[in-house]
Amino acid sequence: MKNYKYILLFATLYLGAACTDLVDDVNDDLTELSADVIPPEKFLTGAQLANVLAQVGHANRISGLYTGQLTGFAAQYKNIYDYTLTSEETESTWNRIYQGVVPQTRLIISKLEGENALLHGICQVMEAHVIGTAATLFGDIPYEEIFIEGLEDPKFDEQATVLANVQLLLDEAIDNLNVAATGVISEDIYYNGDKQKWLETAWSLKARYYMQTKEYSSAYSAAQNGISTASNNMNFIPIGDSSITGSKNTYFTLLNGSRAGDIGTQGSYFSGLLDPSGTTSRNHAKTDETARFEYMTVDQTDGVSNRGVASEFEPQRMVTYEETMLALAEAGARTVDFNTGLGHLNTYRQFLNTGAFLNVHFNARPYTYSDYIEADFQAGGLENADNIAQDRALLREIIEERYVSGFMTYMPFDDARRLRSASESDIAVSIPFNTSTATVHPERLVYPDNEINTNANIPSPLPDLYTVTDINQ
Amino acid sequence: MNKSLHKLILVFLLTLGHQGLHAQQTITGSVKDQNGPLIGATVQVVGTTLGTVCDIDGRFTLDGVTSESTLSINFIGYVTQTVNVGNRSVIDVILEEDAAQLEEVVVSALGFKQKRDNLGSTYSKVKSDDIVRSGEATLINGLSGKAAGVKISRSNGDPGAGSSIQIRGQNTIGGSTQPLIIVDGVPLGNNNILGSGNGITGGRTGGTSQQSRLNDINPNDIESMQILKGASAASLWGSRAANGVIVITTKKGKSGKPTISYNVTYSMDEINRRHPIQNTYGQGENGTWIANAANSWGDKIADRTGGGDEVDFFGERFVSADGTTHYPITNKNSTATYADRNFDQVFQRGHFVQHDLSVSGGNEKSTFFFSFGKLNQDGIIRNSDYDKHNLRLNNDTRFNDWLGMSTKASYVNIQSNRIQQNSNLSGMYLGLLRTAPDFDNSDYIGTYYSASGESFPRRQRSYRSYLGARENPTYSNPQWTTDEQIASSDVNRFSITPQLDIDPTSWLNFTFRGGVDFFSDKREYFFPKNSASSRNVGIFAEDVIRRRQVNFDAIARTSFDINQNINLESTIGFNYNERTGESQSLEIRDFQVNTNFPTYDLTTDQAASSLGKSAFIRRSNRGYGLISLALYDQVNVNLSGALEAASTIADNFFYPSADVAWRFTQLPVFDNIGVLSFGKLRASWGKVGVQPSAHKSQTLTDAGFSASSFSDALDVSLFGGGYRLDDDKGNPNLKPEIKTEYEVGTDLRFFDNRLGINFTYYYNKIEDILLDIPVPSSTGFFNQYSNAATMENKGMEVDLNYDIIRNSDWTVGITANFNNNENTVLDLRGAESIDLSSQSISSRAVAGHSLGALWATQASRNDDGTLELDANNFPFAGTELGVIGDPNPDWRGGIGFNAKWKNLSLNVLFEHSQGGQFADRTRIVLYRFGTHQDVSNEVTLEQDLRNVNGILFPAGSVVRGAVHDFGGGPVLLDEAWYTSRGGGFGSGVIYDLLISEDASWTKLREVSLSYTLNNNWLQETLKLSSVQFTATGRNLLMWTDIVGVDPESSQFGVSNGFGVEYFTNPSTRSILFSLKITY
């Protein structure tokens, strides 16, 4: 009788032994959502914020340090300013581009399944914007093979090819936007789904990249469809309660946190150019930069000391009327004639003279931007004291205006590299070196650490900070 | 496993058939020791499967015995007796305790007692007394230095702070490196859960120390503790056992008169090492005093005029809580310095009081053990504390000769407050050590009045904001950190282990064992308004963490002699285990009310609050079997296997192991060799694993994320919310990572067992290591959790003990242990390195290097390895990061000395760690801040020299700095150097020239002296059986080249990275007194 007891117990033991049945289907995540169930537009805001960080974040500040616009006073920014740029410094920007923007916009497009041409076009413009930025900053970059399931090491495409593909993508975006119905997309924190503004932005981006590849006549025609008024600028607009971090001007956030004291405009070439009392000042009878100088000062002390471009709620410019007008001016002067260039420059100066670009703290400060006349650029004229050719003198003034107006965008860094060749040295802004020992200026950002470590297709030998990218050869 | 079932049935039938062959008789008897009956002692007829187990009275009845039979009477821990039956029908036996063998009983991974000499794998055993005597308030630290190959490191001296346990080096890269803890046969969670939001709530590199849940056990409840180091001993736990297993047995009651024991311990703790702070130069830059400056590269304090500072009475001001008013300084005249005063403002003598009461007793059928423990600890930093209450009730009941039951239940409550530390602008040490020596940190809180007379109450005054003029003081005043900020933790934990034992026959035993272990940890973090950094708006965050583990084992064991020379034991079992967990986080920020009362009512703005939750479930079940063969009382062979299915893996996995032990001294040839009293050769092989983390198979989405390009975060939840495709790519093809280990060794005892030496060599290879492997971001993802890496460990372990003297008055002995683990990361599937920590100096896995390799920017070097120098003959940082050091020691060892004379005993334990590098980054950063003593020297130049900026200093100049030659001739290291490449932050710092090259240390880990009073007067008049007084010194002395900090400190707490320290709260040394009264 006793034995039955054991047999029963043995049986119990074996019934359950190592069953996969007991453990099946418990590995599905308990809190995170699958992308399948999320509406496409819900991925847009995050992608746009990542694009903000790619356009007006760390890499943008580095470009400012390398073009005489900003001074690095302490910590990382001091080292970068002294031309020590390690591969870890570019990591976050690269990540925002390749993870923050592109997979998200492509996911949106894939979820649209051919519907919603407006959102489709917006996503294409965003991809073109961020990939164009990546190509101009880093040179050859992965593009054709990115975000492909099962592909582990995307190959690096040539910079010029990427930029050509960006132009094609913008053409597709424009086609989509043209056919799109007008609508409102509340997740679009740039334009709220305004089709017209996105179209103008697409054309302005085309002009931007044609300028960088020195296709000036294409740039000129693209810019004519570009952003037509400053109120159509693609800006990052900070929002929210004061002192809640995470939704504010990125320069403000930086300086109001642990980076106080590290970076600002004090002592920079840019500052000296605007400062009416500076020795290298560009102020003269027709130009008073007092208000713009004060507005465009970044006080390194801390965030709250800033009331201008780096103040808490100040919008940050990403694709602008200013840039578009100055592309018209430069490309017009180069490919049409002197008067065309001058006309666009004066149109732009008339805009400046409205003071509309200043915020409330500075629009009552002095400013003057009178029209230039041809004589100003003739030998001995206001803008040609050193008697260079009239056309070159005009271009030099347009380039300097791009350098000033482009503060806090990549335009000064892009122009500096575009115009560094001997044939353009007469019109380029003469950016000083940051250290006494430097002999050449940075020509790109170095590839990030993680991509170097993990991508077998990383260019070898690795280009350094001073290796000129293809389009600027 | 079916085979073993068949075999059992076969044996069953054989037994039945056996019974008719001889003339049979029935005998009865009893088995006792000097104290009474031995319940469960086995009585076996030699050469047969016939046998029985003694009942609760120690009695047995055996049928079918012949007059030729020989009985073998066994009880673990006692000398086995054999008795010839002859014509007796009643046999009473008194067994004697085997003094030598008693030490050698170990508890297996399944919780059963085994004779150590029969095992082919290594066990380290730590006795309860040794842990309690160590004087550590937490269990884990009490293990330091006591077993070869077991490395205990406590990350800092905070009360209750978690400690890391490493057995035979690190055995995984991505997962937890902490061993599996088995208490009374059931796994117990030893979680070390980081805060959810780095910095705010205590992540890996900032925040506060977190606790190790193993420390929830009261050391006084522990009967014994074994460390199963090898894969073979642990393999029955399959994918839980890769980091080794610690087997803890809690105390059992003893029948007879109740024993009441009360123990009280008082400890005094103080800081172990202090960073040397200079008192020569003031706040400022370029030799000039500047108010609120970050650095102390200002003027020479002795050159000031002296007397009071000149101030401006008519503008802004700061009025402190006690009314002291601070005005803007217009001329810095004072020569007073405050480094010591500022230190004393926040440091104190720490202390703890621990009370332990235990009651043990019962009758012959049922025993109980009850204990209550109460620990109140105040740390060496103001307001850091740790209060713990433990309750335990263990009951063992024997209903009859075949049924027994036990229940072990415990409850613990821990309340503590932690102090912010590490890379953290609200950290105490960061604020203190960066403070200029001529700044007085007193009057840390008060009201700021602006020049226009507006008042701002509860402002913080610190050296970077000396009038409290800003909401964000940049760094917290250290007393603000200790007195105004809160980082509390409230843990409640309940564990219960019921067990049923059925012994139907002498050779068969069933055990059914359950276990439920549950805890919750509620952590609150409060930063009032005007705290440093972005927290200046006020933050109140709460994490509620819950974990539950349910475990069930059904085990059948058999044991019988196949013939006179062969004994077979087998175990088969089934295990079910489920772990679930949930973490919820709540946060409000931007307080509308400025007060120090933490409540969610501080803001009414819903936009200023956030919620988060994560959860997991993982379930596994396992069938396992174990066969042990004992041959000719000389050779033991153990084979085991576990077949496991888990929710995180697609298929079943099998974990085999084998070991063999040969007691060669049983050979007759050794009979006459008196020197060698025991000798065993052993070898073992086994596989163990690490389960994949739960829920890693899918690619999902992030909701409400925040991203930054560099200190400029944007948070999507503030822009109406949104999602993004996760940067972690799912992996549906995960397998467990598998560690395969072999070890060979010998246990030798000489001179009548007085000298014992154990030697082991081990090698293990860990394949398919699971980790978040970085993938090129250009794929759209950052990481994919994969079976990606391979690593190996090899090393030698030596344990030695020598009883130099052992007689009735004197016992003198020494113990020693040694281990040299050599770890190499063999492959990371193409990735050059895996970051285990983050930060400027990170601890990483790098292919071809030991795990934990220190990784940072390093000097640009020429092809021949010499420094590449710039035009001024200074080195500069290269653009690529690389390995700058190895924090793993070459070897570690401990040596202990114990002496006992009558009732007086002395124990001394030294621990040594040889070699390795240490990134004491606090020192490096303090160079930049100019507060470290190393940068307070003045040098008179003997020749013209240039500094790093190329500025020429003519001969004869007196400069604050040092002259150095990097290989291109002497250069001047001055402020320009120490604030850029030679110190501070950022990618330009040349870390390989700055870290400490030799992290060797020796510690006097423990010295204790105790006296036991047990005389007649005490016993008869006071009815006390004994009173014991003990004085213990803990970590009293340390010898090391590392300055200012304990080289065992770690910024990363109990996580996989180590060897880096950065404003980590300091370690302690202690003196304790305890009194133990036993009734």
Side-chain angles (χ1 to χ4, degrees), chain A residues 19 33 92 95-96 241 451 453, chain B residues 605 621 701 708-709 778 832:
Chain A
C19 282
L33 292 171
S92 58
N95 289 347
R96 297 296 85 80
D241 291 352
E451 198 75 21
N453 275 342
Chain B
D605 180 0
N621 68 120
T701 55
S708 157
S709 69
S778 53
E832 192 187 357

Side-chain angles (χ1 to χ4, degrees), chain B residues 468-497:
Chain B
R470 288 182 287 127
E471 285 174 2
N472 176 4
T474 312
Y475 307 145
S476 269
N477 183 304
Q479 197 176 350
W480 180 279
T481 301
T482 58
D483 288 24
E484 302 298 322
Q485 295 173 184
I486 299 171
S488 65
S489 158
D490 184 356
V491 175
N492 284 286
R493 183 173 202 168
F494 183 74
S495 307
I496 183 161
T497 308

Side-chain angles (χ1 to χ4, degrees), chain B residues 520-563:
Chain B
S520 69
D521 184 355
K522 188 183 76 158
R523 301 170 179 172
E524 290 185 344
Y525 301 89
F526 179 69
F527 296 93
K529 275 179 102 74
N530 304 319
S531 292
S533 77
S534 55
R535 299 163 187 163
N536 71 75
V537 298
I539 291 183
F540 181 39
E542 183 176 312
D543 291 346
V544 181
I545 297 160
R546 296 189 198 90
R547 294 286 185 275
R548 190 186 72 168
Q549 179 161 210
V550 176
N551 190 76
F552 173 73
D553 274 286
I555 304 165
R557 292 185 297 150
T558 66
S559 167
F560 40 84
D561 293 333
I562 287 174
N563 63 38

Side-chain angles (χ1 to χ4, degrees), chain B residues 642 981 1057:
Chain B
R981 302 176 206 174

Side-chain angles (χ1 to χ4, degrees), chain B residues 68-136:
Chain B
E68 278 79 41
S69 299
T70 305
L71 301 185
S72 168
I73 296 110
N74 272 295
F75 196 68
I76 280 184
Y78 289 79
V79 178
T80 299
Q81 273 193 34
T82 47
V83 181
N84 295 321
V85 175
N87 48 15
R88 284 182 290 177
S89 62
V90 178
I91 295 176
D92 296 327
V93 178
I94 294 178
L95 291 185
E96 279 181 28
E97 280 192 47
D98 184 341
Q101 210 195 33
L102 196 61
E103 292 295 306
E104 302 301 330
V105 171
V106 292
V107 179
S108 73
L110 294 176
F112 300 115
K113 285 183 179 172
Q114 291 173 297
K115 287 180 193 164
R116 182 186 200 148
D117 286 344
N118 294 350
L119 298 173
S121 50
T122 32
Y123 282 59
S124 285
K125 184 165 174 171
V126 182
K127 282 180 283 180
S128 157
D129 289 352
D130 289 342
I131 301 164
V132 173
R133 196 189 54 230
S134 72
E136 287 287 357

